[in-house]
Amino acid sequence: MLSSFLIWVVVFAAVLLVLPVIILYGMIWMCRHPRSLSPETLHTPGMPLDLVASVYDRYCLIIGLGRAFRQTMIRHAGLKEGESVLDIGCGTGVLTRLVAQAVGPQGEVIGIDPAARMIAEAKKNASAEGSRAQFRLAVAENLPFEGNRFDCVLSSAMLHHLPPELKVKVLSEAHRVLKPGGRFVLVDVDRPTNPLWWVLSWPLKFWPFTKDQIEGKLGDLILRGGFPRADKVGSWGGFLGFWKAFKSV
Ligand SMILES: C[S@@+](CC[C@H](N)C(=O)[O-])C[C@H]1O[C@@H](n2cnc3c(N)ncnc32)[C@H](O)[C@@H]1O
């Protein structure tokens, strides 16, 4: 009796541990499969999110990345009217549109993403809202902008879509397009700050795209991108970290 109970406990625990891994790696495989990518999507060693573009905003709300999360990013960015802002890996443009409101009619915000369906969603949403936010197909590792162009560069939940060898290149691109004294604000998967997330995030410790971030290397990556200093300015839900860095004057 006791032994069959123990067997069921072990089976149940194994399913609980293995199921998230199967779901996570299944989703990653599907998102990267050539058949899930639109023909216009730009080539990148990263993970463009064409497949989920139409349901992405609802998914964000379900996992708790709603308005309050976006407003926290805007607050950390400290945007002023008239500023020029770049949002790298903008997805459906929720954050980009909020930035457009913050910088006002004299300001400018451009969102870039390699996923053609994400950019299509972003443009559709912006036009429905009458937003001045602009959107372009581009990859963060090769930004189509001259140096010293933006007051602020934002990266929201994008870095963990890149393989480790591409992250420093992307961060150095963000550094290049910033004006001297300009600020870079990033939120992404970070070292978990509560025990529950230590357990739940265990599959991410084995995925190369997230391994370095879960191990707490975000600050080091930002420094390697050319920023003189990187500060963790907040966290979200115990697993996302907000980071801020300035380009030297
Ligand atoms: C989790 S979504 C985040 C979207 C949005 N920034 C947000 O906060 O909701 C990650 C985005 O990064 C994009 N992405 C993947 N590879 C990229 C690359 N090489 N350059 C720029 N963006 C990339 C994906 O297409 C996707 O839209």
Side-chain angles (χ1 to χ4, degrees):
M1 179 73 185
L2 184 68
S3 63
S4 72
F5 174 73
L6 281 177
I7 289 170
W8 277 112
V9 169
V10 170
V11 169
F12 187 64
V15 169
L16 267 190
L17 284 175
V18 171
L19 208 61
V21 183
I22 294 173
I23 293 172
L24 177 74
Y25 286 92
M27 276 177 56
I28 293 169
W29 182 82
M30 283 191 332
C31 284
R32 303 191 80 197
H33 195 280
R35 252 191 276 164
S36 77
L37 299 177
S38 136
E40 297 84 39
T41 289
L42 300 181
H43 174 75
T44 171
M47 192 171 94
L49 273 193
D50 264 313
L51 187 66
V52 296
S54 59
V55 294
Y56 180 76
D57 287 347
R58 263 170 286 159
Y59 164 78
C60 282
L61 292 178
I62 291 168
I63 64 167
L65 303 183
R67 198 172 174 80
F69 170 69
R70 306 297 180 183
Q71 290 296 356
T72 306
M73 185 73 173
I74 297 280
R75 184 165 49 76
H76 285 308
L79 299 170
K80 298 178 211 63
E81 294 225 350
E83 286 192 316
S84 60
V85 181
L86 177 66
D87 181 11
I88 54 176
C90 63
T92 56
V94 179
L95 177 67
T96 330
R97 297 197 305 278
L98 287 172
V99 171
Q101 289 171 14
V103 297
Q106 306 306 320
E108 171 197 45
V109 56
I110 306 175
I112 66 104
D113 202 290
R117 290 193 198 117
M118 280 293 198
I119 289 295
E121 282 287 320
K123 285 182 175 169
K124 188 179 78 186
N125 295 338
S127 122
E129 215 175 81
S131 168
R132 297 183 70 254
Q134 303 168 47
F135 296 96
R136 281 171 73 164
L137 268 181
V139 292
E141 58 268 32
N142 190 11
L143 292 172
F145 304 105
E146 72 273 22
N148 306 329
R149 167 128 168 32
F150 295 97
D151 296 295
C152 181
V153 174
L154 303 176
S155 171
S156 168
M158 189 276 294
L159 208 68
H160 70 282
H161 279 244
L162 305 176
E165 64 279 7
L166 202 65
K167 294 183 188 187
V168 173
K169 168 73 177 145
V170 163
L171 293 164
S172 65
E173 275 293 272
H175 182 266
R176 179 183 67 79
V177 300
L178 272 174
K179 292 177 185 172
R183 56 211 185 275
F184 175 60
V185 184
L186 170 144
V187 62
D188 222 291
V189 174
D190 205 345
R191 188 201 291 273
T193 55
N194 69 40
L196 179 67
W197 269 107
W198 265 115
V199 178
L200 292 181
S201 66
W202 80 270
L204 300 178
K205 294 183 185 104
F206 300 94
W207 186 36
F209 284 36
T210 41
K211 184 176 182 292
D212 48 358
Q213 297 182 210
I214 291 277
E215 286 171 354
K217 296 192 179 140
L218 265 180
D220 181 50
L221 287 168
I222 296 171
L223 296 182
R224 287 169 57 203
F227 292 92
R229 184 180 152 168
D231 293 309
K232 184 160 180 173
V233 290
S235 64
W236 189 267
F239 72 109
L240 296 179
F242 288 94
W243 287 80
K244 193 162 180 176
F246 291 86
K247 181 168 174 174
S248 303
V249 181

